[in-house]
Amino acid sequence: MKLVFILLGAFYSIFTMVERSVSLLLIFMKALLPVYFLMMAGTNGASVATPMYQSSLWIIGALEMVIGKVILPAIEIFFVLSLINQFSKEDKLSKLTEFLESVIRWGLKGSMGVVLGLHSIEVMLLPAIGKVKQNAIIKTGSAIPVFGDTFESVTETVYGIASLLKNAVGVTGIIGILLLCAAPVLKIFVYTVVYKAGTAILQPISEKRIWNCLSGVASTSGLLLYLELMCILLFCITIIILAKGTG
């Protein structure tokens, strides 16, 4: 019982840190998107930037709900079941915890696949419309007598500068995501390694239920680390897809 209470305190310190980190990451993305899509409107037009901005906000809201209402509570349940299973000398809940762990990982992978798929479809369709309008503006302006060549060169220069600014905002966003999550990821990684090492050390010299408790905490820390890394990858790849797909 003493060991369980100690591990409960350790787990909730890690859990709170991950919960706060993911929340800050979502807030950062909500603050970054208006600036990014404003720059995109200068290169691809409002007809492209506006629907992509709206869909991105919707996706972030859906992710916030899935992570906060489904994934994180499921990780809590997984941890509690891992400890409860050790109160009995018979193994009664290990298959349930294994199944729950698989569901959590599948859920994260599925969420990432859906989000990246939606963004990929967007960048295949919407930027083409903006490119047609952009070319039409340049060709129309270039047809103006005397000032046509000047208009065309100035317009292309403006579009180039706007594209440079958009990509600069995207790179800044990726750097911000990495800096924001570097410390939590490192801490969770250290926690996971320490608990796995403790499990390996205690296995030959202690009762099975004791090192199984540590193993459960190590597995839960691994799930939290997996959640953190998936969020980082998801948002970084999203920015890269949007930047690449819109020029």
Side-chain angles (χ1 to χ4, degrees), residues 123-162:
V123 299
M124 284 192 293
L125 298 177
L126 293 176
I129 300 172
K131 192 68 176 177
V132 170
K133 292 183 178 180
Q134 179 179 326
N135 290 334
I137 292 172
I138 293 174
K139 295 300 181 183
T140 302
S142 64
I144 300 174
V146 182
F147 299 104
D149 292 338
T150 304
F151 177 84
E152 183 177 1
S153 61
V154 170
T155 304
E156 289 178 349
T157 302
V158 170
Y159 279 131
I161 293 173

Side-chain angles (χ1 to χ4, degrees), residues 76-224:
E76 280 188 290
I77 294 171
F78 170 81
F79 173 71
V80 172
L81 290 178
S82 298
L83 292 186
I84 290 176
N85 191 39
Q86 307 312 317
F87 284 107
S88 171
K89 290 186 176 182
E90 297 180 5
D91 187 3
K92 296 181 178 181
L93 298 174
S94 62
K95 296 301 179 182
L96 179 59
T97 55
E98 289 175 8
F99 173 73
L100 188 57
E101 183 178 7
S102 299
V103 169
I104 292 169
R105 292 183 181 272
W106 292 341
L108 288 171
K109 290 179 181 178
S111 300
M112 185 173 183
V114 170
V115 172
L116 295 181
L118 290 174
H119 282 306
S120 299
I121 293 172
E122 281 183 333
V123 299
M124 284 192 293
L125 298 177
L126 293 176
I129 300 172
K131 192 68 176 177
V132 170
K133 292 183 178 180
Q134 179 179 326
N135 290 334
I137 292 172
I138 293 174
K139 295 300 181 183
T140 302
S142 64
I144 300 174
V146 182
F147 299 104
D149 292 338
T150 304
F151 177 84
E152 183 177 1
S153 61
V154 170
T155 304
E156 289 178 349
T157 302
V158 170
Y159 279 131
I161 293 173
S163 179
L164 181 63
L165 291 173
K166 174 179 68 70
N167 292 336
V169 172
V171 171
T172 303
I174 291 175
I175 293 172
I177 290 171
L178 295 177
L179 291 176
L180 191 65
C181 298
V185 167
L186 182 60
K187 289 180 181 179
I188 302 165
F189 176 75
V190 171
Y191 273 119
T192 304
V193 171
V194 168
Y195 284 121
K196 284 187 177 294
T199 303
I201 293 170
L202 288 177
Q203 185 175 11
I205 60 175
S206 69
E207 186 186 356
K208 180 180 179 181
R209 290 182 294 170
I210 292 178
W211 57 262
N212 269 342
C213 286
L214 290 178
S215 178
V217 179
S219 299
T220 309
S221 298
L223 283 177
L224 291 171

